[in-house]
Amino acid sequence: MCDFLFKVRCACNQPSRCPNLLAITGIAFALPTALLWLRSNRTLSALTAALTATTLVYHATHNPWMRAADVLVLWTTGAVGLVQCVVCMVVDGPNAMLAIAILLLAIINAINHLPVCLDESGRIELRWHVAVHVLTTAALSLVALGWEHCASPPSSDSTLCSFFVSEQR
């Protein structure tokens, strides 16, 4: 568990290779934060705002505790976003934007594990990590845009729905 939370898995802290590039690309997470807020998806908007903050601070400092916070917020954001997408599509039917967001989530996970995306020490290469930030921004933005097409509010008797999809639409 300590390796999962604290072990640096990216090559972003090599000073000769654009040391702040990932902090800069992390700023893009502010776009889906705003879109989610405007679409009244307060839970995912708050998580995305936290992800923006932890990503900026971690990639600027490479502090292991900030890495742990970033990893926890990242996985929480991904899980909540995935559940919201699935619940919306189960309740309201197919939604292309949400389906593409789920596909992007799968691609992001693949990038983090495919050997072609890793360097010889097993760290994700900088270009692939930048791609992860871009794809994350796109996926969360698609969730925000697809969210407004989820017409049916969650039923009051569904605890899972009301926990993950508690905002007004």
Side-chain angles (χ1 to χ4, degrees), residues 42-53:
R42 304 293 190 240
T43 302
L44 200 52
S45 178
L47 286 169
T48 306
L51 180 61
T52 305

Side-chain angles (χ1 to χ4, degrees), residues 10-71:
C10 66
C12 65
N13 60 352
Q14 298 171 352
S16 63
R17 298 193 63 208
C18 309
N20 294 314
L21 181 60
L22 291 171
I24 293 166
T25 59
I27 294 170
F29 296 161
L31 173 65
T33 300
L35 288 173
L36 288 159
W37 185 266
L38 292 171
R39 300 295 194 274
S40 297
N41 189 331
R42 304 293 190 240
T43 302
L44 200 52
S45 178
L47 286 169
T48 306
L51 180 61
T52 305
T54 60
T55 297
L56 289 173
V57 174
Y58 168 65
H59 287 300
T61 66
H62 297 102
N63 178 292
W65 289 98
M66 281 311 305
R67 167 157 165 76
D70 193 41
V71 168

Side-chain angles (χ1 to χ4, degrees), residues 70-137:
D70 193 41
V71 168
L72 289 172
V73 172
L74 170 72
W75 281 94
T76 304
T77 304
V80 169
L82 178 61
V83 169
Q84 284 188 352
C85 287
V86 170
V87 167
C88 180
M89 290 194 298
V90 166
V91 171
D92 295 323
N95 183 317
M97 286 183 248
L98 298 182
I100 294 169
I102 292 171
L103 176 63
L104 290 177
L105 183 62
I107 292 169
I108 291 163
N109 279 300
I111 289 172
N112 280 312
H113 295 92
L114 288 173
V116 71
C117 302
L118 307 176
D119 65 14
E120 59 280 348
S121 66
R123 293 180 180 201
I124 186 170
E125 291 181 359
L126 183 62
R127 63 184 167 164
W128 291 109
H129 200 143
V130 169
V132 165
H133 282 199
V134 171
L135 293 172
T136 300
T137 300

